[in-house]
Coordinates of all heavy atoms in Angstrom, one line a residue:
A199 N -12.0 -11.3 15.7 CA -13.0 -11.0 14.7 C -14.4 -11.1 15.2 O -15.3 -10.3 14.9 CB -12.8 -11.9 13.5
K200 N -14.7 -12.1 16.1 CA -16.0 -12.4 16.6 C -16.4 -11.4 17.7 O -17.6 -11.3 18.1 CB -16.1 -13.8 17.1 CG -16.0 -14.9 16.0 CD -16.1 -16.2 16.6 CE -15.9 -17.3 15.5 NZ -16.1 -18.7 16.1
L201 N -15.4 -10.7 18.3 CA -15.6 -9.8 19.4 C -15.5 -8.3 19.0 O -15.5 -7.4 19.8 CB -14.7 -10.1 20.6 CG -14.8 -11.5 21.1 CD1 -13.7 -11.7 22.1 CD2 -16.1 -11.8 21.7
I202 N -15.2 -8.1 17.7 CA -14.8 -6.7 17.3 C -16.0 -5.7 17.4 O -15.8 -4.5 17.4 CB -14.3 -6.8 15.8 CG1 -13.4 -5.6 15.5 CG2 -15.5 -6.8 14.8 CD1 -12.1 -5.6 16.3
D203 N -17.2 -6.2 17.5 CA -18.4 -5.3 17.6 C -18.4 -4.7 19.0 O -19.1 -3.7 19.2 CB -19.7 -6.1 17.3 CG -19.9 -6.4 15.9 OD1 -19.3 -5.7 15.0 OD2 -20.6 -7.4 15.6
Q204 N -17.7 -5.3 19.9 CA -17.7 -4.7 21.3 C -16.6 -3.7 21.4 O -15.4 -3.9 21.0 CB -17.5 -5.8 22.3 CG -18.5 -7.0 22.2 CD -18.2 -8.1 23.2 OE1 -17.5 -7.8 24.2 NE2 -18.7 -9.3 22.9
T205 N -16.9 -2.5 21.9 CA -16.0 -1.4 21.9 C -14.7 -1.7 22.6 O -13.6 -1.4 22.0 CB -16.7 -0.1 22.5 OG1 -17.8 0.2 21.8 CG2 -15.7 1.0 22.5
P206 N -14.7 -2.3 23.8 CA -13.4 -2.6 24.4 C -12.5 -3.4 23.6 O -11.3 -3.2 23.5 CB -13.8 -3.3 25.7 CG -15.2 -2.8 26.0 CD -15.8 -2.7 24.6
H207 N -13.0 -4.5 22.9 CA -12.2 -5.4 22.1 C -11.8 -4.7 20.8 O -10.7 -5.0 20.3 CB -13.0 -6.6 21.8 CG -13.2 -7.5 23.0 ND1 -12.2 -8.4 23.4 CD2 -14.3 -7.7 23.8 CE1 -12.7 -9.0 24.5 NE2 -13.9 -8.7 24.7
A208 N -12.5 -3.7 20.4 CA -12.2 -3.0 19.1 C -11.0 -2.0 19.4 O -10.2 -1.8 18.5 CB -13.4 -2.2 18.6
L209 N -10.9 -1.5 20.6 CA -9.9 -0.5 20.9 C -8.7 -1.0 21.6 O -7.6 -0.4 21.5 CB -10.5 0.6 21.7 CG -11.7 1.4 21.1 CD1 -12.2 2.4 22.0 CD2 -11.4 2.0 19.7
I210 N -8.8 -2.1 22.3 CA -7.7 -2.7 23.1 C -7.3 -4.0 22.5 O -8.1 -4.9 22.3 CB -8.1 -2.8 24.6 CG1 -8.6 -1.5 25.2 CG2 -7.0 -3.4 25.4 CD1 -9.2 -1.6 26.5
P211 N -6.0 -4.2 22.2 CA -4.9 -3.3 22.5 C -4.4 -2.6 21.2 O -3.3 -1.9 21.3 CB -3.8 -4.3 22.9 CG -4.0 -5.5 22.1 CD -5.6 -5.6 21.9
V212 N -5.1 -2.6 20.1 CA -4.6 -2.1 18.9 C -4.5 -0.5 19.0 O -3.5 0.0 18.6 CB -5.5 -2.4 17.7 CG1 -5.1 -1.7 16.4 CG2 -5.5 -4.0 17.5
L213 N -5.6 0.1 19.4 CA -5.5 1.6 19.6 C -4.8 1.9 20.9 O -3.9 2.8 21.0 CB -6.9 2.2 19.5 CG -7.0 3.7 19.5 CD1 -6.2 4.3 18.3 CD2 -8.4 4.2 19.4
F214 N -5.3 1.3 22.0 CA -4.7 1.5 23.3 C -4.2 0.2 23.8 O -5.0 -0.7 24.0 CB -5.8 2.1 24.3 CG -6.5 3.3 23.9 CD1 -7.8 3.3 23.4 CD2 -5.8 4.6 24.0 CE1 -8.4 4.4 23.0 CE2 -6.5 5.7 23.6 CZ -7.8 5.6 23.1
P215 N -2.9 0.0 24.1 CA -1.9 1.1 24.0 C -1.0 1.0 22.8 O -0.2 1.9 22.6 CB -1.0 0.7 25.2 CG -1.0 -0.8 25.3 CD -2.4 -1.2 24.8
G216 N -1.2 0.0 21.9 CA -0.3 -0.2 20.8 C -0.1 1.0 19.9 O 1.0 1.6 19.8
G217 N -1.2 1.5 19.2 CA -1.1 2.6 18.3 C -0.7 3.9 19.0 O 0.1 4.7 18.5
I218 N -1.3 4.1 20.2 CA -1.0 5.4 20.9 C 0.5 5.5 21.3 O 1.1 6.5 21.3 CB -1.9 5.5 22.1 CG1 -3.4 5.6 21.6 CG2 -1.6 6.7 22.9 CD1 -3.7 6.7 20.7
V219 N 1.1 4.3 21.7 CA 2.5 4.3 22.1 C 3.4 4.7 20.9 O 4.3 5.5 21.0 CB 2.8 2.9 22.7 CG1 4.3 2.8 22.9 CG2 2.2 2.8 24.1
L220 N 3.1 4.0 19.8 CA 3.9 4.3 18.6 C 3.8 5.8 18.2 O 4.7 6.5 17.9 CB 3.5 3.4 17.5 CG 3.9 1.9 17.7 CD1 3.4 1.1 16.5 CD2 5.4 1.7 17.9
L221 N 2.5 6.3 18.1 CA 2.3 7.7 17.7 C 2.9 8.6 18.7 O 3.6 9.6 18.3 CB 0.8 7.9 17.7 CG 0.0 7.4 16.4 CD1 -1.5 7.6 16.6 CD2 0.5 8.1 15.2
G222 N 2.8 8.3 20.0 CA 3.4 9.2 21.0 C 4.9 9.3 20.9 O 5.5 10.4 21.0
L223 N 5.6 8.1 20.7 CA 7.0 8.1 20.6 C 7.5 8.9 19.4 O 8.5 9.6 19.4 CB 7.6 6.7 20.6 CG 7.4 5.9 21.9 CD1 7.9 4.4 21.6 CD2 8.2 6.5 23.0
V224 N 6.8 8.8 18.3 CA 7.1 9.5 17.1 C 6.9 11.0 17.3 O 7.7 11.9 16.9 CB 6.3 9.0 15.9 CG1 6.5 9.9 14.6 CG2 6.8 7.6 15.5
L225 N 5.8 11.4 17.9 CA 5.5 12.8 18.1 C 6.4 13.4 19.1 O 6.7 14.7 19.1 CB 4.0 13.0 18.6 CG 3.0 12.7 17.6 CD1 1.6 12.7 18.2 CD2 3.1 13.7 16.4
V226 N 7.0 12.7 20.1 CA 8.0 13.2 21.0 C 9.2 13.7 20.2 O 9.9 14.7 20.6 CB 8.4 12.2 22.0 CG1 9.6 12.6 22.8 CG2 7.2 11.9 23.0
G227 N 9.5 13.0 19.1 CA 10.6 13.5 18.2 C 10.2 14.5 17.3 O 11.0 14.9 16.4
H228 N 9.0 15.1 17.4 CA 8.5 16.2 16.6 C 8.4 15.9 15.1 O 8.5 16.7 14.2 CB 9.4 17.4 16.8 CG 9.6 17.9 18.2 ND1 8.6 18.5 18.9 CD2 10.7 17.7 19.0 CE1 9.1 18.7 20.1 NE2 10.3 18.3 20.2
D229 N 8.1 14.6 14.8 CA 8.0 14.2 13.4 C 6.5 14.0 13.1 O 6.0 12.9 13.1 CB 8.8 12.9 13.1 CG 8.9 12.6 11.6 OD1 8.2 13.3 10.8 OD2 9.7 11.7 11.3
L230 N 5.8 15.1 12.7 CA 4.4 15.0 12.5 C 4.1 14.3 11.2 O 3.1 13.6 11.1 CB 3.8 16.4 12.4 CG 2.3 16.6 12.2 CD1 1.5 15.9 13.3 CD2 1.9 18.0 12.1
G231 N 4.9 14.4 10.2 CA 4.7 13.7 8.9 C 4.6 12.1 9.1 O 3.7 11.5 8.6
T232 N 5.6 11.6 9.8 CA 5.6 10.2 10.1 C 4.5 9.7 10.9 O 3.9 8.7 10.8 CB 7.0 9.8 10.8 OG1 8.1 10.1 9.9 CG2 7.0 8.3 11.0
A233 N 4.1 10.6 11.9 CA 2.9 10.3 12.7 C 1.6 10.2 11.9 O 0.8 9.4 12.2 CB 2.8 11.4 13.8
L234 N 1.5 11.1 10.9 CA 0.3 11.0 10.0 C 0.3 9.6 9.2 O -0.8 9.0 9.1 CB 0.4 12.1 9.0 CG 0.0 13.5 9.6 CD1 0.2 14.6 8.5 CD2 -1.4 13.6 10.1
V235 N 1.5 9.2 8.8 CA 1.5 7.9 8.1 C 1.2 6.8 9.0 O 0.4 5.8 8.6 CB 2.9 7.7 7.4 CG1 2.9 6.4 6.7 CG2 3.2 8.8 6.4
I236 N 1.7 6.8 10.2 CA 1.4 5.7 11.2 C -0.1 5.8 11.5 O -0.8 4.7 11.6 CB 2.2 5.9 12.4 CG1 3.7 5.5 12.1 CG2 1.7 5.0 13.6 CD1 4.6 5.7 13.3
G237 N -0.7 7.0 11.6 CA -2.1 7.1 11.8 C -2.9 6.5 10.6 O -4.0 5.9 10.8
L238 N -2.4 6.7 9.4 CA -3.1 6.0 8.2 C -3.1 4.5 8.4 O -4.1 3.9 8.1 CB -2.4 6.5 6.9 CG -2.7 7.9 6.4 CD1 -1.8 8.1 5.2 CD2 -4.1 8.1 6.1
V239 N -2.0 3.9 8.7 CA -1.9 2.5 8.9 C -2.9 2.0 10.0 O -3.6 1.0 9.8 CB -0.5 2.1 9.2 CG1 -0.4 0.6 9.5 CG2 0.5 2.5 8.1
L240 N -2.9 2.8 11.1 CA -3.8 2.4 12.2 C -5.3 2.5 11.8 O -6.0 1.5 12.1 CB -3.5 3.3 13.4 CG -4.1 3.0 14.7 CD1 -3.6 1.6 15.2 CD2 -3.8 4.0 15.8
V241 N -5.6 3.5 11.1 CA -7.0 3.7 10.6 C -7.4 2.6 9.7 O -8.5 2.0 9.7 CB -7.3 5.0 10.0 CG1 -8.6 5.1 9.4 CG2 -7.2 6.1 11.1
A242 N -6.5 2.3 8.7 CA -6.8 1.2 7.7 C -7.0 -0.1 8.3 O -7.9 -0.9 8.0 CB -5.7 1.2 6.7
T243 N -6.1 -0.5 9.3 CA -6.2 -1.8 9.9 C -7.5 -1.9 10.7 O -8.2 -3.0 10.7 CB -5.0 -2.1 10.8 OG1 -4.8 -1.0 11.7 CG2 -3.8 -2.3 9.9

Side-chain angles (χ1 to χ4, degrees):
K200 296 181 180 180
L201 303 173
I202 205 67
D203 289 335
Q204 304 177 24
T205 301
H207 290 283
L209 301 180
I210 301 172
V212 175
L213 186 59
F214 304 104
I218 297 301
V219 168
L220 293 179
L221 283 173
L223 291 175
V224 172
L225 288 175
V226 168
H228 306 288
D229 193 349
L230 182 59
T232 301
L234 287 176
V235 178
I236 291 179
L238 285 176
V239 176
L240 191 62
V241 170
T243 52

